Amino acid sequence: FGFFEDTTAEQTAEFAKEVYKLDSKLILKPTVEQIKDELKKGNLVVMGMAGRLLKNPYFTAPGPIYHMLVIKGYNQNGFFVNDPGTRRGANYHYFYEILMSAARDWGGSDENILQTEPVAIVFLR
């Protein structure tokens, strides 16, 4: 695409389609149950986050303003993710409340990250 910058869920899905031929769909304001349903189908879910709200102790302080991660599984307490923001991000566990409260789409600037709604990119199996 010729640039390096933060991207919205829609732009990320478009990039994945154009470059990697991956089919996806977007879920606006997803719930925990919707994400679990997609994982049960064997799909992967990618979501943008207000990174500092994740409070991941392995991020370099103070943490990223905007951050994307792959949600790949869950248990009774939360989601398992692959988090590229840290060397300890493989199979990292976030409690449902923490991950969902941090979920945000990119709104074009660091200043408005907390004003955007979450959007899940579901990569279809």
Side-chain angles (χ1 to χ4, degrees):
F1 279 46
F3 62 90
F4 174 80
E5 59 186 48
D6 290 320
T7 56
T8 65
E10 185 175 357
Q11 290 168 325
T12 303
E14 179 185 344
F15 178 84
K17 176 75 171 172
E18 293 294 321
V19 175
Y20 299 107
K21 311 298 184 224
L22 296 174
D23 290 325
S24 65
K25 67 179 180 179
L26 301 179
I27 301 175
L28 306 177
K29 297 194 272 188
T31 65
V32 168
E33 290 307 315
Q34 286 175 306
I35 295 170
K36 285 180 179 180
D37 288 344
E38 294 301 334
L39 296 172
K40 287 177 194 173
K41 295 175 190 173
N43 297 327
L44 291 178
V45 178
V46 173
M47 289 182 69
M49 302 283 149
R52 293 177 182 174
L53 295 181
L54 291 170
K55 304 219 184 285
N56 187 317
Y58 301 113
F59 287 158
T60 301
I65 292 174
Y66 181 67
H67 183 61
M68 281 192 162
L69 47 77
V70 178
I71 303 171
K72 62 183 200 167
Y74 63 92
N75 66 11
Q76 69 233 22
N77 300 316
F79 288 116
F80 291 97
V81 305
N82 278 348
D83 189 335
T86 172
R87 279 183 249 144
R88 297 181 181 180
N91 299 310
Y92 193 84
H93 184 266
Y94 285 107
F95 290 107
Y96 291 124
E97 299 80 26
I98 291 172
L99 190 124
M100 296 306 287
S101 67
R104 300 287 192 284
D105 199 13
W106 178 243
S109 72
D110 293 352
E111 292 75 28
N112 72 356
I113 189 64
L114 297 178
Q115 282 74 51
T116 59
E117 298 287 345
V119 179
I121 310 165
V122 178
F123 288 101
L124 305 170
R125 191 169 190 190

